[in-house]
Amino acid sequence: MDITALILLFVFGVLLAINVPIAIAIAISTLATMLVTIDSLPAVTTLAQRMSAGMDSFALLAIPFFIFSGFLMGQGGIARRLIDFAKVLVGQLPGGLAFVNVIACALFGSISGSAVAATSAIGGFMIPAMNKEGYDKNFNTAVTVTASTTGMLIPPSNILIIYSLASGGVSIAALFIAGYLPGILVAISLMCVCGIYAKRRGYPVGQRESFATAIKKTVGAIPSLFLVVLVIGGIIGGYFTPTEAGAIAVVYSLVLSMVIYKEIKPNQIPAILTKSVTTTAIVMLLIGASAAMSWLLSYENIPQEISAGLLGITENKIILLLLINVLLLVVGTFMDMTPAVLIFTPIFLPIVETLGISPLHFGIIMILNLSIGLCTPPVGSVLFVGCSVGKTSIAQVIKPLIPLYIAMFIALALVTAFPQISEYLPKAFGLY
């Protein structure tokens, strides 16, 4: 391996080990590697230029809009109405509250585009409710944590926009529509585990809603659910771009939260805006730093060396995909999704394209794979938030997480082996 790659890995690993924030670790390790071959001033200037260039994309404007709309949804009463709707659908089944948790997390995650937001909003309601009904607290937290990651696949999803940028322009509309079936597959896999777990533990069956109550709760959730139709339908229909869809999502969320549901007051908007700006700044710093590292890797021909190394091991499509999936699973345990996508897409995408795998299919594989990392220690952000909401510890949650991990691995294997799961809908809608 080239000396520059070794320096990059060493500095990056040391910084992560001493708990330096991931964006800072990426930027410093990139700069340290540059300093080996060029003077300090050109190195700093190049780093700044590459970070700036990495954030200079019109498509990325969609991210702050979706982040803001996600915060509005989290405080605007949408989570509670989606939970009520999920109860109408599956609440009367054995272990129904666990099913409600999965469906509500998937719905809210898809609407807000944030796994962390889904964990906080849905977990805040569902974990105490499940505790009250006699469900195990650690199991409840584990279900919330894993189910919230489905929002990374079901659109609108910020990480799919970032993958589009990293891949060199895969259609965002095609990626959005491609995420539906894999996201639903993950949710169904988790629900199967929940059903088995609930039956073995003898968890209670929820009460069947009266017809009038079911209609009332369904009607109450329709305005929230319509946001997905508005955003995705508008993008697929060509009425507006993903960035414009983000702006429309903000306006719609404001009207929904302040006018229809009346759960956000005007004096709460500044605080929500502050949270949105802070989150956006973190995301954009990650994007800029990761883009700089990605440029350095490309400049040093490291992707080509890795590609040659992997193809030198084997040219078997199945084995290579297995190796890449294992590598991404390892990466996902210690790196956030945004830098992982920006850094490793240029490395692995050329390899899988030589095997005849489409960038669209690989993007869904990568996002699903890295989503598992969101709920695994030591860095899983969703896992930490879930344990905080559930008032438990990571050590206690790991045991009930294991069967849910297995379900997600099975879903990943199916999506990897059958590209039709990712590509069917985009082809059906003429997007790919």
Side-chain angles (χ1 to χ4, degrees), residues 70 85 92 165 180 186 250 265 288 293 295 307 320-321 323 339 350 377:
F85 176 64
Q92 70 278 9
L165 175 70
Y180 272 110
V186 173
V250 169
K265 307 300 180 185
M293 180 180 278
W295 173 85
S307 176
L320 274 174
L321 279 175
L323 284 172

Side-chain angles (χ1 to χ4, degrees), residues 17 27 61 88 105-106 225 242 271 308 315 350 379 397 408 420:
L61 281 174
V88 170
C105 283
L225 297 171
E315 293 188 6
V379 183
V397 172
M408 296 180 81
Q420 298 88 346

